[in-house]
Amino acid sequence: MPDMRLGFICLTEFSNSSINEGIARAMLNLIDKLVFVVPSEAMTGKVKDAIESMPDKSILQLRKYVTVVTPSTLVSKSGIKGVHDRKSTQTEEVV
Amino acid sequence: MAQAVNLDALIDMREEKGFKLERDVDYGAGPIDIVWNVNVHPALPNIKCGFVVLKAEEGGNQDTEDNQLSLRKIEEAAFRGIRSGLDKVYLVAENDDMAKSVSGKIEWLASHGSLIRLDTISLGLAPEQTEQAVVTPSQKRMPQGEKIRKQRMREREAKLEKKYNRPKGERRRREHPLKKGIMESRVDRHSRPRNQKPKGT
């Protein structure tokens, strides 16, 4: 299978032109999925709304292509136990 | 100094053809200067053709002074139209030269491969332009005489190539069998270790 290329673009402030430019750059550079990294949760909502509020007849379905995150979303989860791990540890202790 | 783009020609043309027109609209992805709603058939939905004027950089005229608009600006304007749900996005430049440059850049972007064929959606256009805006491929653009001259040049080169750079296998086939035998025995002798070389030859 071919490699999947994830593209990350940082947006420092909200504007439609910077969103357009980012999407254009990603698509023209054959990026398979685009991730916009924005500074705050408030801006995440704004950018998501801008992407999802496209007219129905548009030839692009951008919500399938673009993801919006903040840097804190990208913090590594190593060392944090998931529900599954926690359950198995508890079971071992009981035994 | 950048001159203002006059869109009257596009507005007048719309009146002639009877399309519905919208001016200075924003569907949520940025401003679109003109939108033509082309009704091709009562049973079919309208085709939306958008015209976005490409302006000089804020605070300077760098882009317009050398008749070149940056790729960034072209990409942004084209995607503004796509995100606005337009079927076609025409990028309006100040003059014919700039429009040609825009079309050329769109072709160049499409030729590099991308998730979207930008050249099928977008095109550069000058407001007063009457000739075809689609960039003609060089094969069609080149005069017939030039084509013949290049063909002759290629033939001459092929002839010289055949004469002086004949492949090794072909040259060997033509060699005299006796000469070939001598050559093979020499190669054999030189490729052996010193103590295994036949003496007195």
Side-chain angles (χ1 to χ4, degrees):
Chain A
M1 296 288 279
D3 288 351
M4 279 278 285
R5 278 151 57 101
L6 284 182
F8 293 84
I9 293 179
C10 296
L11 293 180
T12 50
E13 56 187 49
F14 175 80
S15 79
N16 267 312
S17 67
S18 53
I19 295 173
N20 294 342
E21 204 190 313
I23 296 166
R25 226 186 309 154
M27 287 208 165
L28 294 167
N29 284 298
L30 292 169
I31 297 295
D32 296 297
K33 291 274 179 193
L34 171 64
V35 181
F36 276 131
V37 185
V38 297
S40 63
E41 285 295 335
M43 205 169 135
T44 309
K46 272 188 186 176
V47 177
K48 266 188 188 167
D49 285 349
I51 286 159
E52 282 166 19
S53 69
M54 277 174 64
D56 298 337
K57 285 176 186 170
S58 177
I59 55 163
L60 294 179
Q61 183 72 279
L62 283 178
R63 63 192 177 86
K64 295 273 179 192
Y65 184 67
V66 183
T67 311
V68 191
V69 295
T70 56
S72 59
T73 325
L74 296 173
V75 170
S76 166
K77 300 276 189 298
S78 62
I80 301 169
K81 282 179 184 170
V83 181
H84 210 74
D85 294 331
R86 259 182 280 159
K87 269 186 186 169
S88 63
T89 323
Q90 280 168 0
T91 327
E92 277 166 24
E93 280 168 4
V94 170
V95 170
Chain B
M1 183 75 186
Q3 60 197 67
V5 177
N6 188 3
L7 296 172
D8 291 347
L10 290 171
I11 295 165
D12 295 344
M13 202 180 292
R14 186 275 314 183
E15 276 168 9
E16 277 172 35
K17 311 255 182 197
F19 306 146
K20 249 192 212 168
L21 180 126
E22 291 171 86
R23 286 201 72 173
D24 301 320
V25 284
D26 192 335
Y27 297 116
I32 311 285
D33 294 274
I34 287 180
V35 177
W36 282 357
N37 288 287
V38 183
N39 190 3
V40 281
H41 189 277
L44 297 172
N46 286 355
I47 295 172
K48 283 191 158 210
C49 296
F51 297 87
V52 178
V53 177
L54 295 170
K55 297 179 187 92
E57 201 78 65
E58 293 80 17
N61 295 318
Q62 269 186 329
D63 278 359
T64 47
E65 273 166 9
D66 56 355
N67 275 342
Q68 297 270 326
L69 285 152
S70 63
L71 282 173
R72 185 188 63 80
K73 204 173 280 182
I74 293 167
E75 290 166 3
E76 194 277 318
F79 272 79
R80 192 192 308 172
I82 294 168
R83 279 188 62 213
S84 301
L86 302 176
D87 299 299
K88 293 276 178 189
V89 189
Y90 298 113
L91 309 179
V92 186
E94 276 178 21
N95 52 49
D96 280 14
D97 287 343
M98 277 173 86
K100 269 183 197 160
S101 155
V102 170
S103 295
K105 281 182 177 173
I106 291 168
E107 289 280 331
W108 181 80
L109 284 168
S111 73
H112 280 68
S114 105
L115 297 192
I116 193 160
R117 280 295 301 257
L118 210 56
D119 56 339
T120 60
I121 295 160
S122 203
L123 196 65
L125 184 80
E128 312 286 331
Q129 190 166 336
T130 47
E131 64 190 48
Q132 177 69 267
V134 178
V135 176
T136 325
S138 62
Q139 290 92 335
K140 284 185 187 167
R141 211 170 46 222
M142 203 187 288
Q144 193 64 21
E146 180 74 0
K147 223 174 182 177
I148 293 165
R149 193 181 68 82
K150 285 202 169 166
Q151 179 68 28
R152 279 193 191 144
M153 219 162 80
R154 257 182 245 126
E155 279 170 11
R156 201 165 53 238
E157 275 173 8
K159 207 173 161 185
L160 289 170
E161 183 80 11
K162 203 175 170 188
K163 195 171 179 184
Y164 296 108
N165 298 333
R166 199 181 295 137
K168 252 184 182 170
E170 206 174 311
R171 200 172 1 179
R172 278 205 151 179
R173 247 178 272 135
R174 283 174 168 220
E175 272 173 2
H176 193 275
L178 191 66
K179 204 176 169 187
K180 200 179 166 186
I182 294 168
M183 281 297 288
E184 274 173 8
S185 67
R186 273 185 194 164
V187 170
D188 180 51
R189 197 174 63 221
H190 286 293
S191 58
R192 286 181 186 205
R194 194 170 280 176
N195 56 355
Q196 287 178 20
K197 272 186 187 174
K199 283 173 188 170
T201 47

